[in-house]
Amino acid sequence: MTTTAREPRQAPLGAATPLLSVDRLSVRFLLGRGGRRGEVRAVTDASFDLRPGQLLTLVGESGCGKSVLASALLGLLPGNAQLRGTATLSTQDGGRVELLSAPESVLAGRVRGRLVGLVPQSSATHLTPVRTARSQLLEAVRALRPGLDDPAGLVDHLAERVGLEPAVLDRYPHELSGGTAQRVAVALALAGDPPVVLADEPTTGLDRPLVDRTVDLLAGLAEEGRAVLMITHDLAAARGVATDVAVMYASRLVEIGPAGRVFDDPWHPYTAGLLAALPEGGFTPIPGHPPELTALPDGCAFAPRCALLGARDERCTGRPELVRHDDRMVACRRPC
């Protein structure tokens, strides 16, 4: 299957050691006291690396576990969450932080804002409504870079960096458009100059021109040498700016590879189905619905929908694991 898109960006050749390495990360939410009412298997055995200069887009239908994965990396999950696996973050001094086992004091004091910047979903709702954008940025700069000679000057620089006139920062959140609030959120994520940026559904609720500006801004951060993970269900937003793409279905990663290759020649039937649902793919929806994360099947979770697509055969038994083929990985015994 071939689709048209802007020329995809590429990660720099000979990219350095990963800034973030995630290995078999799983997240379960226990339902009821002690899990007596079951569990939600939100993320299952997710593994990927994130390197300087890389913009990895994590795509998939809503509810597949993408945002839970990001929250797990920053220790932002509720108390009924159980985590397994590792997520190792490299620091500027050559050290390492194991995020999943790090205490809150380390996550709050060393990681959030300083090593990893977060652009949250629905950014406008995360801004304090009774304070101007400038005061919130100034507070973040002072907290994350204590002793800085000119924090107010850095605030103006951050505004310019994300394409905002400094005067806009003197407005309150309710006076900001959705796109402007999103840019303020990116500026806040950069206040501590973090080498890694996680953007969780940064284009939700924006019209297409603002979507394009937002993803181009994130791509610019990668081109500066930051490692960027953009979580989205908007494939149109991901195409053309991503260096790499990871596709998630029913809590599992099913395909990972260079964006240009995955978008032009998808190997997993689910990836092919997502692309076929785009306007340039003919608006062909994937039949059926994803399984509930409380009742995932033992075998391939996509099998019922794949059968409707006419792609299932006798090889589709058991649960396929991610298998590497050259520069991409796919979890399917019958790749497209």
Side-chain angles (χ1 to χ4, degrees):
M1 173 181 176
T2 301
T3 57
T4 58
R6 291 182 290 172
E7 186 68 22
R9 290 178 169 91
Q10 294 183 349
L13 295 176
T17 301
L19 289 174
L20 176 65
S21 291
V22 177
D23 185 31
R24 301 188 73 83
L25 167 61
S26 293
V27 180
R28 302 286 184 268
F29 294 109
L30 301 182
L31 303 178
R33 182 172 296 180
R36 286 181 296 180
R37 297 212 318 265
E39 63 180 19
V40 176
R41 290 185 277 173
V43 180
T44 304
D45 291 336
S47 298
F48 62 89
D49 290 332
L50 194 60
R51 292 178 166 81
Q54 185 179 16
L55 195 161
L56 173 66
T57 55
L58 178 59
V59 303
E61 292 165 293
S62 296
C64 68
K66 305 184 302 297
S67 294
V68 171
L69 189 153
S71 296
L73 296 176
L74 289 176
L76 299 176
L77 294 177
N80 66 331
Q82 289 192 339
L83 280 69
R84 189 183 67 204
T86 61
T88 305
L89 182 69
S90 298
T91 62
Q92 293 97 324
D93 59 4
R96 293 175 178 271
V97 178
E98 210 312 288
L99 298 176
L100 304 188
S101 60
E104 174 61 20
S105 59
V106 171
L107 293 172
R110 294 185 58 196
V111 175
R112 299 186 197 123
R114 293 176 173 85
L115 295 176
V116 182
L118 175 65
V119 182
Q121 288 192 50
S122 305
S123 297
T125 64
H126 285 78
L127 299 175
T128 303
V130 295
R131 298 177 58 194
T132 65
R134 181 182 300 279
S135 69
Q136 295 180 61
L137 264 171
L138 188 59
E139 180 184 45
V141 167
R142 286 172 171 164
L144 296 171
R145 303 195 199 185
L148 191 68
D149 291 337
D150 185 15
L154 178 57
V155 167
D156 286 340
H157 172 74
L158 288 171
E160 181 181 356
R161 173 66 190 84
V162 300
L164 291 175
E165 293 292 334
V168 172
L169 298 182
D170 295 319
R171 300 176 185 172
Y172 290 89
H174 73 274
E175 299 176 306
L176 304 177
S177 67
T180 300
Q182 189 63 270
R183 288 173 181 264
V184 172
V186 176
L188 283 166
L190 298 178
D193 194 25
V196 177
V197 174
L198 303 185
D200 187 7
E201 299 284 4
T203 63
T204 298
L206 303 182
D207 59 28
R208 184 50 55 182
L210 290 176
V211 167
D212 291 341
R213 292 177 198 169
T214 299
V215 296
D216 282 339
L217 174 57
L218 294 173
L221 300 181
E223 290 171 351
E224 292 174 359
R226 302 180 200 270
V228 180
L229 174 64
M230 184 176 82
I231 296 170
T232 183
H233 64 275
D234 187 346
L235 268 72
R239 297 177 63 180
V241 298
T243 60
D244 300 88
V245 62
V247 182
M248 196 171 200
Y249 183 76
S251 87
R252 290 180 175 271
L253 297 178
V254 296
E255 185 165 3
I256 306 174
R261 294 197 61 192
V262 172
F263 285 132
D264 288 343
D265 182 25
W267 284 1
H268 197 281
Y270 176 61
T271 310
L274 287 176
L275 293 171
L278 295 176
E280 56 269 35
F283 281 120
T284 304
I286 302 175
H289 301 280
E292 295 290 336
L293 297 184
T294 54
L296 291 175
D298 292 331
C300 176
F302 190 64
R305 305 175 80 184
C306 191
L308 293 172
L309 287 169
R312 192 181 183 195
D313 63 22
E314 65 277 2
R315 288 171 288 179
C316 299
T317 57
R319 177 185 296 143
E321 300 293 333
L322 273 174
V323 177
R324 179 169 294 281
H325 301 272
D326 296 326
D327 59 352
R328 75 166 84 178
M329 303 177 72
V330 63
C332 182
R333 294 192 176 94
R334 186 190 184 280
C336 292

